[in-house]
Amino acid sequence: MAKKPTYGELTKRVKELEGKSSQLNEIKEVLGESEARYKGVFAYTKSGIAVYRAVNDGEDFIFVDFNTSAEKIDKIEREGLIGKSILEVFPGVKKFGFFQVLQRVWSTGKPEHHPISLYKDERIVGWRDNFVYKLPSGEVVAVYSDETERKQAEQELRRAHDSLSNFSQELERKVEERTRELQEQSEKLVEAERLAALGTMANRVAHELRNSITVVGGFARRVYEKTPDNDPNKKYLKMMVDEVKVLEHKVSEILRIEKDR
């Protein structure tokens, strides 16, 4: 027959139980505070948070929880996806590369960062940056942000940079083309000025030569006319007269050209 505990033993046991009860209450209080903090972070953080549970040995994942920010980011209500497959709600998730990350994190327990990528399906399009980790319960959590506006701004900035670069290249090309045109015009102007100077000089020389040629020509013709035909020098006089006529014609042509300029 079992020995009944004494009063002292019972009193000691009661105190031990009271101590454990106090510890349990403290633990419950700490857990309550942690749960409150978790709910506060889950509800009010700007990041989207989605909690998944693996099914069929990781062949699929169903939604366990989904915070308000995630609803805004993905434009879908929590009530419409809890308990549903991620493959059903987000059919582009495999092409996006995120589904494979869920499988690896669930299998290995090692957190992974899924870098900024473009998600797209018939319902929604957007850039997402995901961090995925596994809870002790076996559930997998994805904390993510919407990077669509930033990526669009980067793309706009890139397009603006390309447009500016193209404009700069086109401007440089036009400047080079205009520079060549000005250089050609300058060369033509220099050549025209040189020709004008030569023309002026030729005109001045022609004026000075005309009188002398006229005098020489006059004397040559007079001597030629008075020289007898049987004089052997008459043929040379004829050559002189002819050459003077050529010179007179050339001088007259120079003066005419300069007059017409």
Side-chain angles (χ1 to χ4, degrees):
M1 186 174 180
K3 182 180 178 181
K4 292 183 179 180
T6 64
Y7 176 78
E9 290 174 338
L10 290 173
T11 302
K12 183 179 179 181
R13 182 61 177 163
V14 168
K15 288 183 178 180
E16 289 176 354
L17 291 174
E18 287 177 347
K20 290 183 178 180
S21 176
S22 177
Q23 289 177 354
L24 287 174
N25 288 333
E26 290 178 0
I27 292 172
K28 287 181 179 179
E29 185 177 349
V30 170
L31 289 174
E33 291 176 355
S34 297
E35 184 178 1
R37 283 194 295 269
Y38 165 76
K39 288 182 177 179
V41 171
F42 188 85
Y44 299 112
T45 181
K46 291 183 179 180
S47 297
I49 300 177
V51 184
Y52 305 92
R53 184 172 70 251
V55 295
N56 299 327
D57 198 26
E59 290 298 316
D60 198 359
F61 292 84
I62 62 173
F63 285 94
V64 176
D65 211 345
F66 205 67
N67 73 344
T68 303
S69 294
E71 290 180 308
K72 293 178 180 178
I73 291 172
D74 287 321
K75 299 178 176 60
I76 191 169
E77 294 183 359
R78 178 181 183 277
E79 288 74 12
L81 54 74
I82 297 301
K84 289 186 177 180
S85 163
I86 187 175
L87 297 173
E88 176 187 352
V89 179
F90 296 99
V93 71
K94 285 188 176 180
K95 188 175 182 180
F96 179 49
F98 179 72
F99 189 81
Q100 294 83 340
V101 174
L102 283 179
Q103 289 181 316
R104 286 196 299 270
V105 172
W106 177 78
S107 176
T108 66
K110 296 179 180 179
E112 273 195 43
H113 174 226
H114 184 236
I116 299 175
S117 304
L118 180 64
Y119 176 82
K120 180 166 57 175
D121 61 29
E122 293 181 357
R123 185 184 66 83
I124 191 171
V125 176
W127 293 87
R128 303 288 184 266
D129 186 18
N130 280 270
F131 181 77
V132 185
Y133 62 95
K134 188 177 182 181
L135 295 173
S137 63
E139 296 171 334
V140 181
V141 179
V143 181
Y144 63 101
S145 60
D146 183 6
E147 302 295 329
T148 304
E149 290 187 2
R150 183 167 72 85
K151 292 296 292 185
Q152 288 174 342
E154 289 178 356
Q155 290 172 350
E156 287 296 327
L157 182 62
R158 191 176 299 111
R159 281 194 289 268
H161 178 271
D162 291 342
S163 297
L164 183 60
S165 178
N166 292 336
F167 174 77
S168 177
Q169 292 175 3
E170 179 65 15
L171 181 61
E172 184 176 352
R173 185 189 66 78
K174 288 184 177 180
V175 168
E176 290 177 353
E177 183 179 329
R178 184 57 179 162
T179 300
R180 285 195 299 270
E181 291 176 355
L182 290 174
Q183 185 175 356
E184 290 173 0
Q185 292 176 2
S186 177
E187 291 173 354
K188 289 179 181 179
L189 181 61
V190 169
E191 181 65 14
E193 290 177 348
R194 186 181 70 81
L195 293 175
L198 287 175
T200 301
M201 183 181 297
N203 184 58
R204 186 181 302 117
V205 171
H207 274 291
E208 293 177 355
L209 290 177
R210 183 172 60 176
N211 295 332
S212 298
I213 291 172
T214 300
V215 173
V216 171
F219 278 113
R221 280 189 293 271
R222 182 176 297 179
V223 172
Y224 173 77
E225 291 170 357
K226 291 183 176 182
T227 300
D229 293 339
N230 59 355
D231 190 328
N233 292 318
K234 189 167 185 176
K235 62 179 181 179
Y236 299 112
L237 291 171
K238 180 65 170 63
M239 292 174 60
M240 184 182 296
V241 169
D242 291 341
E243 290 299 321
V244 168
K245 285 181 180 179
V246 172
L247 288 174
E248 287 177 338
H249 175 74
K250 289 183 177 180
V251 169
S252 297
E253 186 65 18
I254 291 173
L255 294 174
R256 185 188 64 77
I257 291 174
E258 286 302 309
K259 183 178 180 182
D260 293 340
R261 287 170 63 88

